[in-house]
Amino acid sequence: HHEDVFLTCQPGHSHAHGFTLVDWRGGRARRGCEGLLLWNGGTVCDDYFNWNAAHAICRAMGFRSALAYRSGLAYGAMQRRKRIRMDDVRCRSGHFSSCHYRTRHNCSHSEDILLTCHA
């Protein structure tokens, strides 16, 4: 049972697959603004990350598409305190169901994804 999965769903709400965008203070980023991409509270590394991944993750969070992405250590101490939780994100299309990733990483926070989604 150590691999059991528990889901909590809200009727009528899209499921964000554990992704959020946060600002430099760690609060939710404003719609249409760049944010540090978090997955289950930790950062996402840029290895293999591309436009398919950017679009897929923005759509998973309920946005239309991605506008921009980059990597870097832009959020200082708040960013450094986060664990790196996702690496090697590979998506065959702009839908998250086509994506594969690893939860082990070989990254530093200078490789964290900063993402801007189209509101």
Side-chain angles (χ1 to χ4, degrees), residues 5-99:
V5 174
F6 299 92
L7 297 176
T8 303
C9 299
Q10 291 181 311
H13 291 80
S14 63
H15 190 269
H17 297 280
F19 292 107
T20 54
L21 290 174
V22 298
D23 62 21
W24 64 273
R25 290 168 291 165
R28 193 169 292 269
R30 290 189 9 218
R31 289 183 72 81
C33 294
E34 180 181 81
L36 176 65
L37 178 61
L38 299 182
W39 180 70
N40 292 337
T43 63
V44 177
C45 184
D46 68 357
D47 294 348
Y48 301 106
F49 200 91
N50 62 18
W51 278 107
N52 279 344
H55 289 310
I57 290 169
C58 284
R59 287 179 182 136
M61 291 188 290
F63 296 99
R64 194 175 343 163
S65 62
L67 286 175
Y69 74 91
R70 65 185 178 104
S71 57
L73 180 56
Y75 289 75
M78 181 279 294
Q79 184 175 347
R80 276 191 220 95
R81 283 193 299 270
K82 303 286 185 190
R83 295 184 59 197
I84 300 170
R85 294 207 183 268
M86 184 181 276
D87 190 16
D88 296 343
V89 181
R90 299 174 200 234
C91 301
R92 292 186 310 277
S93 76
H95 300 281
F96 196 69
S97 61
S98 79
C99 300

